Amino acid sequence: MTLDLLLSSAWGPLIIFSLRIVGVSLSTIRMLLAVRGVKMFAPFIGFFEVLFWIIAVGSAVKHLDSPLHLLGYAGGFATGTYVGLRIEEKIAFGMAMVRVVSQHGGVELAEALRERGFGVTEQAGFGRDGKVEILYAAVKRRDLPAVFEEVQTWDPQAFVTVEEPRAIHRGWLKK
C-alpha cells in the first residue's frame, strides 16, 4: 500500500494527527535547544520536523473536504505543542539562576544548599518588613526540585525567582 493510499484511507486522519504530534514536538524541542545555545542538534531535528510536516500538510491539503483530516492536522498540532513542552521539561537541559529572598533561615538555607553541593552567594538586604537575606545560586535546571525542597524546609515563606541565564562565566557549579 502506498503512502498516498494509506493517508486517503480511514487511517489518514490518525496518521496526520500522529505526524503532527511528532513534528511539532520536534519543533518545540529544536527551538528551545537553539535558544539555550545547543546549536549542534537544531539542524538535525529540523530535517525530521519538516519531513513530517510536508507529509502531514500535503495530505491535509489534498483532503480539505474531509473534516476528520483537518481535525487530525489541527489536533496533532495542539497535542504536539503540549508533548514537546513536556519532553523538554523532563529533559530539563540548561541552567537556571535562582534568587531566594528570606526573612527567616537564609543563612541556614545557604549552608544546606552548599552541603548539597550547590554554590551559593549570600547578600544582606532590606525589604518592606525589615532585614532579609538574599541568596543567589546558578544550578542545572534538573536540580531545581532539590533547591525548592531546601527552601521549603528552611523558609516556606521565602520569595523565590528563577531566571534563565544567557551565559555563565566562571564561578562554582555542582559537578
Side-chain angles (χ1 to χ4, degrees), residues 22-51 53 77 80 84-85 87-88 91 93:
V22 173
V24 175
S25 296
L26 289 174
S27 172
T28 303
I29 292 167
R30 177 186 54 79
M31 285 187 289
L32 290 170
L33 289 177
V35 165
R36 291 195 173 100
V38 185
K39 298 171 185 155
M40 179 180 249
F41 294 112
F44 180 73
I45 292 172
F47 173 83
F48 289 100
E49 168 196 343
V50 169
L51 181 65
W53 178 80
F77 182 88
L85 290 171
I87 290 170
E88 194 281 331
I91 293 171
F93 185 80

mmCIF file of all heavy atoms in Angstrom, residues 22-51 53 77 80 84-85 87-88 91 93:
data_model
loop_
_atom_site.group_PDB
_atom_site.id
_atom_site.type_symbol
_atom_site.label_atom_id
_atom_site.label_comp_id
_atom_site.label_asym_id
_atom_site.label_seq_id
_atom_site.Cartn_x
_atom_site.Cartn_y
_atom_site.Cartn_z
ATOM 1 N N VAL A 22 4.493 14.377 16.369
ATOM 2 C CA VAL A 22 5.944 14.186 16.299
ATOM 3 C C VAL A 22 6.620 15.445 15.749
ATOM 4 O O VAL A 22 7.605 15.936 16.320
ATOM 5 C CB VAL A 22 6.302 12.946 15.441
ATOM 6 C CG1 VAL A 22 7.806 12.850 15.237
ATOM 7 C CG2 VAL A 22 5.773 11.682 16.092
ATOM 8 N N GLY A 23 6.090 15.989 14.657
ATOM 9 C CA GLY A 23 6.702 17.156 14.033
ATOM 10 C C GLY A 23 6.714 18.384 14.918
ATOM 11 O O GLY A 23 7.730 19.073 15.042
ATOM 12 N N VAL A 24 5.588 18.674 15.552
ATOM 13 C CA VAL A 24 5.511 19.863 16.412
ATOM 14 C C VAL A 24 6.325 19.654 17.687
ATOM 15 O O VAL A 24 6.951 20.601 18.182
ATOM 16 C CB VAL A 24 4.039 20.233 16.717
ATOM 17 C CG1 VAL A 24 3.959 21.377 17.705
ATOM 18 C CG2 VAL A 24 3.317 20.602 15.434
ATOM 19 N N SER A 25 6.356 18.445 18.206
ATOM 20 C CA SER A 25 7.202 18.166 19.373
ATOM 21 C C SER A 25 8.661 18.425 19.029
ATOM 22 O O SER A 25 9.394 19.052 19.808
ATOM 23 C CB SER A 25 7.028 16.717 19.834
ATOM 24 O OG SER A 25 5.722 16.489 20.285
ATOM 25 N N LEU A 26 9.083 17.948 17.870
ATOM 26 C CA LEU A 26 10.456 18.194 17.429
ATOM 27 C C LEU A 26 10.714 19.689 17.254
ATOM 28 O O LEU A 26 11.779 20.191 17.631
ATOM 29 C CB LEU A 26 10.732 17.454 16.112
ATOM 30 C CG LEU A 26 10.841 15.935 16.205
ATOM 31 C CD1 LEU A 26 10.957 15.323 14.812
ATOM 32 C CD2 LEU A 26 12.024 15.524 17.069
ATOM 33 N N SER A 27 9.744 20.392 16.694
ATOM 34 C CA SER A 27 9.878 21.839 16.504
ATOM 35 C C SER A 27 10.055 22.555 17.839
ATOM 36 O O SER A 27 10.919 23.427 17.982
ATOM 37 C CB SER A 27 8.637 22.382 15.790
ATOM 38 O OG SER A 27 8.659 23.781 15.751
ATOM 39 N N THR A 28 9.246 22.189 18.810
ATOM 40 C CA THR A 28 9.323 22.816 20.127
ATOM 41 C C THR A 28 10.682 22.556 20.765
ATOM 42 O O THR A 28 11.327 23.486 21.270
ATOM 43 C CB THR A 28 8.194 22.273 21.036
ATOM 44 O OG1 THR A 28 6.940 22.515 20.397
ATOM 45 C CG2 THR A 28 8.224 22.928 22.403
ATOM 46 N N ILE A 29 11.133 21.322 20.712
ATOM 47 C CA ILE A 29 12.429 20.973 21.297
ATOM 48 C C ILE A 29 13.555 21.681 20.557
ATOM 49 O O ILE A 29 14.482 22.220 21.173
ATOM 50 C CB ILE A 29 12.617 19.444 21.294
ATOM 51 C CG1 ILE A 29 11.630 18.808 22.271
ATOM 52 C CG2 ILE A 29 14.049 19.073 21.662
ATOM 53 C CD1 ILE A 29 11.498 17.313 22.137
ATOM 54 N N ARG A 30 13.472 21.721 19.220
ATOM 55 C CA ARG A 30 14.506 22.385 18.411
ATOM 56 C C ARG A 30 14.622 23.851 18.790
ATOM 57 O O ARG A 30 15.717 24.369 19.006
ATOM 58 C CB ARG A 30 14.184 22.251 16.926
ATOM 59 C CG ARG A 30 15.180 22.992 16.015
ATOM 60 C CD ARG A 30 14.753 22.971 14.564
ATOM 61 N NE ARG A 30 13.418 23.452 14.329
ATOM 62 C CZ ARG A 30 13.054 24.740 14.271
ATOM 63 N NH1 ARG A 30 13.955 25.690 14.459
ATOM 64 N NH2 ARG A 30 11.802 25.089 14.042
ATOM 65 N N MET A 31 13.499 24.541 18.900
ATOM 66 C CA MET A 31 13.534 25.962 19.237
ATOM 67 C C MET A 31 14.091 26.200 20.641
ATOM 68 O O MET A 31 14.908 27.093 20.848
ATOM 69 C CB MET A 31 12.141 26.573 19.120
ATOM 70 C CG MET A 31 11.711 26.777 17.687
ATOM 71 S SD MET A 31 10.171 27.685 17.539
ATOM 72 C CE MET A 31 8.987 26.488 18.111
ATOM 73 N N LEU A 32 13.662 25.393 21.592
ATOM 74 C CA LEU A 32 14.133 25.582 22.963
ATOM 75 C C LEU A 32 15.630 25.279 23.088
ATOM 76 O O LEU A 32 16.349 25.976 23.808
ATOM 77 C CB LEU A 32 13.316 24.724 23.919
ATOM 78 C CG LEU A 32 11.864 25.189 24.091
ATOM 79 C CD1 LEU A 32 11.046 24.163 24.843
ATOM 80 C CD2 LEU A 32 11.804 26.538 24.788
ATOM 81 N N LEU A 33 16.099 24.253 22.387
ATOM 82 C CA LEU A 33 17.535 23.952 22.416
ATOM 83 C C LEU A 33 18.333 25.061 21.744
ATOM 84 O O LEU A 33 19.397 25.453 22.234
ATOM 85 C CB LEU A 33 17.816 22.611 21.740
ATOM 86 C CG LEU A 33 17.360 21.361 22.488
ATOM 87 C CD1 LEU A 33 17.636 20.109 21.660
ATOM 88 C CD2 LEU A 33 18.023 21.250 23.851
ATOM 89 N N ALA A 34 17.820 25.588 20.631
ATOM 90 C CA ALA A 34 18.524 26.667 19.933
ATOM 91 C C ALA A 34 18.613 27.917 20.811
ATOM 92 O O ALA A 34 19.654 28.563 20.876
ATOM 93 C CB ALA A 34 17.818 26.987 18.615
ATOM 94 N N VAL A 35 17.523 28.238 21.510
ATOM 95 C CA VAL A 35 17.522 29.398 22.404
ATOM 96 C C VAL A 35 18.528 29.204 23.529
ATOM 97 O O VAL A 35 19.168 30.155 23.982
ATOM 98 C CB VAL A 35 16.099 29.634 22.974
ATOM 99 C CG1 VAL A 35 16.120 30.570 24.156
ATOM 100 C CG2 VAL A 35 15.191 30.158 21.891
ATOM 101 N N ARG A 36 18.717 27.971 23.965
ATOM 102 C CA ARG A 36 19.658 27.681 25.056
ATOM 103 C C ARG A 36 21.081 27.481 24.544
ATOM 104 O O ARG A 36 21.958 27.082 25.297
ATOM 105 C CB ARG A 36 19.190 26.454 25.822
ATOM 106 C CG ARG A 36 17.924 26.761 26.596
ATOM 107 C CD ARG A 36 17.623 25.729 27.643
ATOM 108 N NE ARG A 36 16.508 26.193 28.424
ATOM 109 C CZ ARG A 36 15.256 25.777 28.261
ATOM 110 N NH1 ARG A 36 14.973 24.867 27.359
ATOM 111 N NH2 ARG A 36 14.297 26.258 29.010
ATOM 112 N N GLY A 37 21.296 27.708 23.257
ATOM 113 C CA GLY A 37 22.649 27.666 22.716
ATOM 114 C C GLY A 37 23.130 26.304 22.258
ATOM 115 O O GLY A 37 24.300 26.136 21.953
ATOM 116 N N VAL A 38 22.266 25.310 22.207
ATOM 117 C CA VAL A 38 22.656 23.977 21.742
ATOM 118 C C VAL A 38 22.389 23.921 20.239
ATOM 119 O O VAL A 38 21.367 23.421 19.794
ATOM 120 C CB VAL A 38 21.873 22.865 22.485
ATOM 121 C CG1 VAL A 38 22.373 21.490 22.074
ATOM 122 C CG2 VAL A 38 21.987 23.052 23.979
ATOM 123 N N LYS A 39 23.308 24.461 19.470
ATOM 124 C CA LYS A 39 23.100 24.634 18.036
ATOM 125 C C LYS A 39 23.401 23.384 17.224
ATOM 126 O O LYS A 39 22.999 23.268 16.078
ATOM 127 C CB LYS A 39 23.938 25.799 17.545
ATOM 128 C CG LYS A 39 23.527 27.099 18.207
ATOM 129 C CD LYS A 39 24.481 28.210 17.889
ATOM 130 C CE LYS A 39 24.075 29.440 18.697
ATOM 131 N NZ LYS A 39 25.137 30.331 18.931
ATOM 132 N N MET A 40 24.110 22.438 17.794
ATOM 133 C CA MET A 40 24.538 21.261 17.050
ATOM 134 C C MET A 40 23.362 20.388 16.592
ATOM 135 O O MET A 40 23.355 19.884 15.477
ATOM 136 C CB MET A 40 25.508 20.435 17.892
ATOM 137 C CG MET A 40 26.006 19.178 17.230
ATOM 138 S SD MET A 40 27.137 18.317 18.315
ATOM 139 C CE MET A 40 28.638 18.564 17.409
ATOM 140 N N PHE A 41 22.356 20.230 17.448
ATOM 141 C CA PHE A 41 21.252 19.321 17.143
ATOM 142 C C PHE A 41 20.115 19.976 16.366
ATOM 143 O O PHE A 41 19.291 19.286 15.781
ATOM 144 C CB PHE A 41 20.693 18.707 18.432
ATOM 145 C CG PHE A 41 21.668 17.812 19.132
ATOM 146 C CD1 PHE A 41 22.205 18.180 20.357
ATOM 147 C CD2 PHE A 41 22.056 16.607 18.572
ATOM 148 C CE1 PHE A 41 23.109 17.370 21.000
ATOM 149 C CE2 PHE A 41 22.962 15.782 19.210
ATOM 150 C CZ PHE A 41 23.491 16.164 20.426
ATOM 151 N N ALA A 42 20.042 21.298 16.372
ATOM 152 C CA ALA A 42 18.915 22.005 15.756
ATOM 153 C C ALA A 42 18.727 21.655 14.276
ATOM 154 O O ALA A 42 17.601 21.351 13.861
ATOM 155 C CB ALA A 42 19.059 23.500 15.954
ATOM 156 N N PRO A 43 19.765 21.656 13.432
ATOM 157 C CA PRO A 43 19.545 21.307 12.020
ATOM 158 C C PRO A 43 19.082 19.860 11.833
ATOM 159 O O PRO A 43 18.210 19.577 10.996
ATOM 160 C CB PRO A 43 20.918 21.514 11.368
ATOM 161 C CG PRO A 43 21.650 22.414 12.295
ATOM 162 C CD PRO A 43 21.124 22.107 13.664
ATOM 163 N N PHE A 44 19.627 18.949 12.606
ATOM 164 C CA PHE A 44 19.250 17.532 12.522
ATOM 165 C C PHE A 44 17.779 17.356 12.887
ATOM 166 O O PHE A 44 17.015 16.694 12.181
ATOM 167 C CB PHE A 44 20.156 16.712 13.450
ATOM 168 C CG PHE A 44 19.869 15.243 13.446
ATOM 169 C CD1 PHE A 44 20.222 14.453 12.368
ATOM 170 C CD2 PHE A 44 19.238 14.658 14.534
ATOM 171 C CE1 PHE A 44 19.949 13.097 12.364
ATOM 172 C CE2 PHE A 44 18.962 13.299 14.543
ATOM 173 C CZ PHE A 44 19.324 12.520 13.446
ATOM 174 N N ILE A 45 17.366 17.973 13.982
ATOM 175 C CA ILE A 45 15.966 17.899 14.411
ATOM 176 C C ILE A 45 15.071 18.578 13.378
ATOM 177 O O ILE A 45 13.996 18.078 13.049
ATOM 178 C CB ILE A 45 15.797 18.539 15.813
ATOM 179 C CG1 ILE A 45 16.500 17.679 16.871
ATOM 180 C CG2 ILE A 45 14.324 18.704 16.161
ATOM 181 C CD1 ILE A 45 16.569 18.312 18.245
ATOM 182 N N GLY A 46 15.520 19.714 12.855
ATOM 183 C CA GLY A 46 14.749 20.451 11.862
ATOM 184 C C GLY A 46 14.480 19.651 10.598
ATOM 185 O O GLY A 46 13.403 19.767 9.998
ATOM 186 N N PHE A 47 15.420 18.832 10.179
ATOM 187 C CA PHE A 47 15.233 17.995 8.997
ATOM 188 C C PHE A 47 14.015 17.085 9.172
ATOM 189 O O PHE A 47 13.131 17.025 8.318
ATOM 190 C CB PHE A 47 16.491 17.148 8.734
ATOM 191 C CG PHE A 47 16.327 16.146 7.640
ATOM 192 C CD1 PHE A 47 16.491 16.519 6.314
ATOM 193 C CD2 PHE A 47 15.990 14.833 7.937
ATOM 194 C CE1 PHE A 47 16.326 15.581 5.294
ATOM 195 C CE2 PHE A 47 15.824 13.897 6.927
ATOM 196 C CZ PHE A 47 15.988 14.265 5.600
ATOM 197 N N PHE A 48 13.955 16.383 10.289
ATOM 198 C CA PHE A 48 12.848 15.458 10.526
ATOM 199 C C PHE A 48 11.539 16.204 10.802
ATOM 200 O O PHE A 48 10.472 15.760 10.380
ATOM 201 C CB PHE A 48 13.191 14.485 11.658
ATOM 202 C CG PHE A 48 14.225 13.498 11.256
ATOM 203 C CD1 PHE A 48 15.553 13.667 11.627
ATOM 204 C CD2 PHE A 48 13.902 12.414 10.443
ATOM 205 C CE1 PHE A 48 16.518 12.770 11.227
ATOM 206 C CE2 PHE A 48 14.851 11.511 10.040
ATOM 207 C CZ PHE A 48 16.175 11.688 10.428
ATOM 208 N N GLU A 49 11.640 17.320 11.479
ATOM 209 C CA GLU A 49 10.454 18.149 11.733
ATOM 210 C C GLU A 49 9.769 18.521 10.415
ATOM 211 O O GLU A 49 8.556 18.351 10.247
ATOM 212 C CB GLU A 49 10.881 19.412 12.479
ATOM 213 C CG GLU A 49 9.848 20.494 12.562
ATOM 214 C CD GLU A 49 10.451 21.840 12.952
ATOM 215 O OE1 GLU A 49 11.585 21.895 13.470
ATOM 216 O OE2 GLU A 49 9.765 22.850 12.724
ATOM 217 N N VAL A 50 10.541 19.015 9.460
ATOM 218 C CA VAL A 50 9.981 19.448 8.178
ATOM 219 C C VAL A 50 9.532 18.254 7.342
ATOM 220 O O VAL A 50 8.512 18.326 6.651
ATOM 221 C CB VAL A 50 10.998 20.324 7.415
ATOM 222 C CG1 VAL A 50 10.555 20.574 5.986
ATOM 223 C CG2 VAL A 50 11.176 21.647 8.150
ATOM 224 N N LEU A 51 10.231 17.141 7.423
ATOM 225 C CA LEU A 51 9.814 15.935 6.696
ATOM 226 C C LEU A 51 8.417 15.496 7.142
ATOM 227 O O LEU A 51 7.531 15.252 6.309
ATOM 228 C CB LEU A 51 10.833 14.807 6.914
ATOM 229 C CG LEU A 51 10.560 13.497 6.196
ATOM 230 C CD1 LEU A 51 10.632 13.694 4.683
ATOM 231 C CD2 LEU A 51 11.570 12.450 6.643
ATOM 232 N N TRP A 53 6.217 17.386 8.633
ATOM 233 C CA TRP A 53 5.292 18.464 8.288
ATOM 234 C C TRP A 53 4.840 18.368 6.837
ATOM 235 O O TRP A 53 3.651 18.502 6.544
ATOM 236 C CB TRP A 53 5.950 19.824 8.541
ATOM 237 C CG TRP A 53 5.064 20.963 8.152
ATOM 238 C CD1 TRP A 53 4.031 21.488 8.868
ATOM 239 C CD2 TRP A 53 5.110 21.705 6.936
ATOM 240 N NE1 TRP A 53 3.438 22.513 8.179
ATOM 241 C CE2 TRP A 53 4.086 22.662 6.978
ATOM 242 C CE3 TRP A 53 5.926 21.652 5.804
ATOM 243 C CZ2 TRP A 53 3.863 23.561 5.947
ATOM 244 C CZ3 TRP A 53 5.705 22.544 4.782
ATOM 245 C CH2 TRP A 53 4.672 23.484 4.856
ATOM 246 N N PHE A 77 -1.336 19.305 15.910
ATOM 247 C CA PHE A 77 -0.541 20.494 16.212
ATOM 248 C C PHE A 77 -0.652 20.850 17.694
ATOM 249 O O PHE A 77 0.351 21.055 18.377
ATOM 250 C CB PHE A 77 -0.981 21.680 15.351
ATOM 251 C CG PHE A 77 -0.156 22.913 15.582
ATOM 252 C CD1 PHE A 77 1.005 23.114 14.868
ATOM 253 C CD2 PHE A 77 -0.525 23.853 16.531
ATOM 254 C CE1 PHE A 77 1.782 24.242 15.088
ATOM 255 C CE2 PHE A 77 0.243 24.978 16.761
ATOM 256 C CZ PHE A 77 1.400 25.178 16.036
ATOM 257 N N GLY A 80 0.922 18.136 19.841
ATOM 258 C CA GLY A 80 2.375 18.153 19.668
ATOM 259 C C GLY A 80 3.037 19.263 20.457
ATOM 260 O O GLY A 80 4.130 19.090 20.996
ATOM 261 N N GLY A 84 5.716 18.333 23.206
ATOM 262 C CA GLY A 84 7.065 18.906 23.094
ATOM 263 C C GLY A 84 7.493 19.628 24.354
ATOM 264 O O GLY A 84 8.633 19.487 24.807
ATOM 265 N N LEU A 85 6.576 20.395 24.930
ATOM 266 C CA LEU A 85 6.898 21.106 26.172
ATOM 267 C C LEU A 85 7.131 20.142 27.326
ATOM 268 O O LEU A 85 8.010 20.356 28.164
ATOM 269 C CB LEU A 85 5.786 22.102 26.516
ATOM 270 C CG LEU A 85 5.695 23.306 25.580
ATOM 271 C CD1 LEU A 85 4.428 24.111 25.874
ATOM 272 C CD2 LEU A 85 6.926 24.189 25.697
ATOM 273 N N ILE A 87 8.232 17.019 27.073
ATOM 274 C CA ILE A 87 9.518 16.352 26.834
ATOM 275 C C ILE A 87 10.658 17.268 27.265
ATOM 276 O O ILE A 87 11.578 16.845 27.971
ATOM 277 C CB ILE A 87 9.668 15.946 25.355
ATOM 278 C CG1 ILE A 87 8.717 14.805 25.019
ATOM 279 C CG2 ILE A 87 11.114 15.548 25.045
ATOM 280 C CD1 ILE A 87 8.617 14.498 23.529
ATOM 281 N N GLU A 88 10.580 18.530 26.859
ATOM 282 C CA GLU A 88 11.636 19.469 27.213
ATOM 283 C C GLU A 88 11.713 19.657 28.722
ATOM 284 O O GLU A 88 12.791 19.755 29.288
ATOM 285 C CB GLU A 88 11.377 20.814 26.520
ATOM 286 C CG GLU A 88 12.581 21.743 26.537
ATOM 287 C CD GLU A 88 12.779 22.446 27.856
ATOM 288 O OE1 GLU A 88 11.789 22.680 28.574
ATOM 289 O OE2 GLU A 88 13.924 22.772 28.197
ATOM 290 N N ILE A 91 13.568 16.674 30.056
ATOM 291 C CA ILE A 91 14.998 16.737 29.739
ATOM 292 C C ILE A 91 15.678 17.749 30.651
ATOM 293 O O ILE A 91 16.783 17.533 31.116
ATOM 294 C CB ILE A 91 15.214 17.125 28.255
ATOM 295 C CG1 ILE A 91 14.715 16.016 27.332
ATOM 296 C CG2 ILE A 91 16.685 17.406 27.987
ATOM 297 C CD1 ILE A 91 14.695 16.397 25.864
ATOM 298 N N PHE A 93 17.180 20.586 30.223
ATOM 299 C CA PHE A 93 18.516 20.935 29.790
ATOM 300 C C PHE A 93 18.797 22.399 30.093
ATOM 301 O O PHE A 93 17.924 23.247 29.976
ATOM 302 C CB PHE A 93 18.645 20.673 28.276
ATOM 303 C CG PHE A 93 20.013 20.895 27.764
ATOM 304 C CD1 PHE A 93 20.991 19.932 27.926
ATOM 305 C CD2 PHE A 93 20.349 22.075 27.148
ATOM 306 C CE1 PHE A 93 22.272 20.143 27.474
ATOM 307 C CE2 PHE A 93 21.622 22.297 26.686
ATOM 308 C CZ PHE A 93 22.588 21.328 26.851
#
